[in-house]
Amino acid sequence: MSDIKFWKPACQLFRPDEPLINKELEDFYVRREDSPVDDLVNSLATDDEPSQYLVAGHRGGGKTTELRRLEQKCTQDYTVVWVDTDTALDKFNIGHAEVPVLIGMQVVQRLKDVGWKLPQKLEKELLETLKKITYQDKVTGGGELQLPKLFQDLGMLLKVGFQRETTRTLEVKPVLGEIINKVNEIIAAAQRDKPKLLVIVDGLDRKEYSIAQNMFSSSLLTDLQCHICYAIPIDLRYSPSFRQTMEGFTRCLDLSNIAVFKCDEMARPTTNPDRVGRHILMEVVQKRLATLGDAYANLFEPQAMDLLCEKSGGVLRDLVRLARMACQVALSRRVSRIDRTIAEEAVREEHRMYTIEDYHFPELETVHRTGKLSSNVFDSPKHGRIVICNELLHYKLVLGYDDKKYGRWFDVNPMLWVDLERWQQAKE
C-alpha cells in the first residue's frame, strides 16, 4: 500500500516535539548507557542535605524523557514536584525572579494534591508575601483573598513576566527573599509529615543563552531547601563564563548524544561508524513501528535506516523528525517502503533547516579536526561579542559525545559535513 491510509499511522508515531510520558515511556523507551538517571537516584539517596543538580544536553537529546524516568524511579521515596517552565512562563521575558516563585507555587500545590494540609499560620504568611508582587499597582478584586485565587492571578502574572507587567522595577527583589523563606518553612513542615521533596524543573534548557545565564547566575535557584534538578542548555554548560556559577550547584551531569561515529585514542572524530550507537537509534524507530503490526516491520530498508541514524547525529528528536520526513516523502512518491533514495531526500529537506554563518566555518573545521571546543570569539555588529562554540552548540551545528575509554569529544553535526567540505574546497 502507498496511500495516506497506510502512511498516516507511521507519520503519527514520529512526533519530534513530544517527549515520552506515561505509557509511551514504557513502550517506546530504549535504554542508553550514558543515562544519568541511575547516578542521580543514587546521589539523591546519599544526600541528607538539600542538593541542587544540573542536567545538560542538546535540545532534543532526550533530557525530558530521562527526567520523566527520574520522576518514575523516585515516586516511592519522594514527593516529586514536576515544574514545566515552558508552559508556565514566557519564553522571552523570563528572569531569575519568576522561576523560584513558580517553583514555590508548584510545591505548595503538589503538597495539597497529596493530601498535606498547609498550616493556617504558614498559609496566611505566604498569602501576605505573595500579595506584594501579585497585586502591586492593582486591586485584589475584593473579598477575602485565598490561595487558589492568588495562584491563578500570580500564574497569569508569571506568564508575562514581572518586569513587563509591573510599573516599578521592582519591589519584587526584596520580596523574593521573603517568598523563598516562607516556601522553605512550608517545605520543612511538610517533610516532617511526608517524604522528602524532589523538584524537577524542565524547560529552562530551551531558553536563550543570555536568559539562562542570567537565571542561573542568581543564588535564588539554590536557596530552596529541598532536592532540585534543573535541565540546562548545552551551551551554558560549556561556557567559560558559567564555570564559576556551576560550582554553586551540587553537581552537573551530562546527557550525551548517542555516537554514530567513533573517536580515536586522542578523542578526535573519525569516519568509522559506531555500530553500537546506531543499533540503539535503530531500536528507537523499530520499537515504535512494532506497535503497528507486521505490515510495517520492514518499512525502512537497512541502508535507509543507517543513513537516517547517521545524519541524526545521535540526537533523538532529530532522528524522529527524519523518520517522519521520510514517511512523508514516501507518501508523496506513492511508494510502500523507504529506501536509500527516499532517505536521502528526507535528509536534504532537513538540511534546509540549518544556517551556517561565514565566521562559523573556521571553528567547525577546528572542532572536526581536534574534537575539542575553543573559547574563540566573534564581534557581531548585532549581538556583540559571541563565543563561537557556544553558538555552534546552541544551534546543534556541533554535537557532544562521550566515550567510556577516551572521554568527552565533539564533532560537527553529520548533517553539515557536506557544507564543511565545500567550504574547505573553496578555501583551497
Side-chain angles (χ1 to χ4, degrees):
M1 293 181 67
S2 58
D3 59 10
I4 195 166
K5 186 177 180 181
F6 174 78
W7 284 106
K8 183 177 179 179
C11 289
Q12 290 181 335
L13 273 178
F14 302 107
R15 300 189 298 272
D17 296 321
E18 295 185 18
L20 301 181
I21 58 173
N22 303 326
K23 192 174 187 305
E24 286 188 348
L25 186 56
E26 297 176 11
D27 295 342
F28 296 159
Y29 180 75
V30 176
R31 184 167 179 80
R32 39 198 295 186
E33 294 182 358
D34 66 332
S35 170
V37 170
D38 291 334
D39 198 359
L40 257 173
V41 171
N42 293 335
S43 296
L44 289 166
T46 57
D47 287 339
D48 290 330
E49 297 299 317
S51 51
Q52 295 82 30
Y53 289 89
L54 304 173
V55 174
H58 282 284
R59 286 181 296 177
K63 290 187 299 301
T64 298
T65 297
E66 295 300 323
L67 290 176
R68 285 294 185 186
R69 287 187 62 237
L70 175 66
E71 179 186 31
Q72 282 187 345
K73 283 180 171 286
C74 291
T75 299
Q76 297 298 320
D77 299 318
Y78 299 87
T79 301
V80 182
V81 183
W82 183 274
V83 180
D84 183 359
T85 61
D86 259 359
T87 57
L89 302 176
D90 181 83
K91 182 178 180 180
F92 300 105
N93 197 42
I94 175 179
H96 66 281
E98 287 85 355
V99 177
V101 173
L102 174 64
I103 293 172
M105 280 176 55
Q106 299 282 31
V107 165
V108 174
Q109 186 61 52
R110 176 65 177 147
L111 288 170
K112 179 183 177 183
D113 292 343
V114 298
W116 186 72
K117 178 67 175 175
L118 179 62
Q120 189 173 359
K121 177 177 179 294
L122 290 179
E123 180 176 356
K124 182 179 179 182
E125 292 174 352
L126 181 65
L127 273 168
E128 292 301 319
T129 305
L130 292 176
K131 275 169 56 177
K132 295 178 183 178
I133 57 171
T134 311
Y135 300 111
Q136 179 177 309
D137 302 331
K138 292 184 177 182
V139 296
T140 63
E144 183 181 355
L145 187 63
Q146 295 184 344
L147 273 183
K149 173 68 166 70
L150 186 143
F151 278 179
Q152 180 183 0
D153 293 346
L154 181 54
M156 294 172 63
L157 176 57
L158 288 171
K159 195 70 177 172
V160 298
F162 290 142
Q163 293 182 349
R164 182 166 156 189
E165 177 70 8
T166 56
T167 57
R168 306 172 198 153
T169 320
L170 227 144
E171 279 68 354
V172 165
K173 282 188 177 179
V175 179
L176 282 175
E178 293 181 39
I179 294 172
I180 298 296
N181 289 338
K182 295 305 173 190
V183 173
N184 281 336
E185 288 181 35
I186 292 169
I187 291 172
Q191 290 186 148
R192 288 194 288 267
D193 302 326
K194 293 283 183 185
K196 284 186 177 180
L197 262 72
L198 168 61
V199 178
I200 301 175
V201 184
D202 191 32
L204 296 181
D205 56 313
R206 293 184 279 277
K207 308 307 176 190
E208 292 297 324
Y209 172 80
S210 57
I211 294 173
Q213 185 179 40
N214 177 52
M215 282 189 296
F216 284 97
S217 296
S218 167
S219 63
L220 290 170
L221 296 191
T222 58
D223 283 345
L224 288 166
Q225 295 300 300
C226 61
H227 293 324
I228 304 183
C229 184
Y230 297 100
I232 68 168
I234 187 71
D235 42 328
L236 189 65
R237 162 71 171 91
Y238 288 100
S239 170
S241 62
F242 188 64
R243 286 170 189 161
Q244 185 173 353
T245 301
M246 196 160 56
E247 293 176 1
F249 293 83
T250 306
R251 189 178 170 193
C252 183
L253 298 98
D254 294 298
L255 181 65
S256 303
N257 299 305
I258 298 168
V260 293
F261 291 99
K262 293 181 178 180
C263 68
D264 65 15
E265 65 278 2
M266 300 294 290
R268 295 174 301 201
T270 74
T271 55
N272 300 324
D274 189 313
R275 294 300 175 193
V276 174
R278 294 190 188 202
H279 177 76
I280 292 172
L281 294 170
M282 289 178 187
E283 196 176 350
V284 168
V285 174
Q286 289 165 352
K287 269 201 167 188
R288 296 175 187 236
L289 291 175
T291 62
L292 297 181
D294 294 341
Y296 295 84
N298 299 308
L299 192 67
F300 291 84
E301 292 185 359
Q303 283 191 331
M305 190 72 260
D306 190 61
L307 178 65
L308 297 181
C309 290
E310 175 186 311
K311 293 305 182 181
S312 74
V315 181
L316 292 175
R317 183 185 297 166
D318 293 353
L319 173 66
V320 172
R321 184 182 292 111
L322 280 167
R324 182 184 181 90
M325 179 64 69
C327 291
Q328 292 172 339
V329 171
L331 171 61
S332 68
R333 290 195 176 188
R334 298 185 179 279
V335 296
S336 57
R337 288 193 76 194
I338 295 169
D339 60 13
R340 174 88 180 192
T341 303
I342 299 291
E344 287 172 349
E345 186 170 339
V347 168
R348 285 194 293 271
E349 287 298 317
E350 181 67 12
H351 180 264
R352 300 174 193 272
M353 302 294 292
Y354 291 88
T355 302
I356 309 176
E357 303 293 343
D358 290 341
Y359 63 89
H360 289 156
F361 281 106
E363 208 65 30
L364 289 171
E365 183 181 48
T366 301
V367 173
H368 193 47
R369 177 169 44 84
T370 66
K372 304 290 189 295
L373 302 177
S374 79
S375 56
N376 294 336
V377 298
F378 173 73
D379 289 318
S380 166
K382 185 176 180 180
H383 302 292
R385 178 157 289 196
I386 296 169
V387 178
I388 302 172
C389 278
N390 284 358
E391 198 166 77
L392 298 181
L393 287 169
H394 181 79
Y395 293 112
K396 293 191 290 190
L397 308 184
V398 160
L399 302 174
Y401 304 95
D402 190 71
D403 184 275
K404 281 188 174 181
K405 188 173 182 180
Y406 303 120
R408 191 76 174 165
W409 61 284
F410 298 86
D411 195 10
V412 174
N413 189 324
M415 187 73 74
L416 308 178
W417 282 15
V418 63
D419 300 279
L420 182 58
E421 288 171 2
R422 288 172 183 160
W423 177 81
Q424 290 170 328
Q425 291 169 1
K427 185 180 67 168
E428 292 169 0

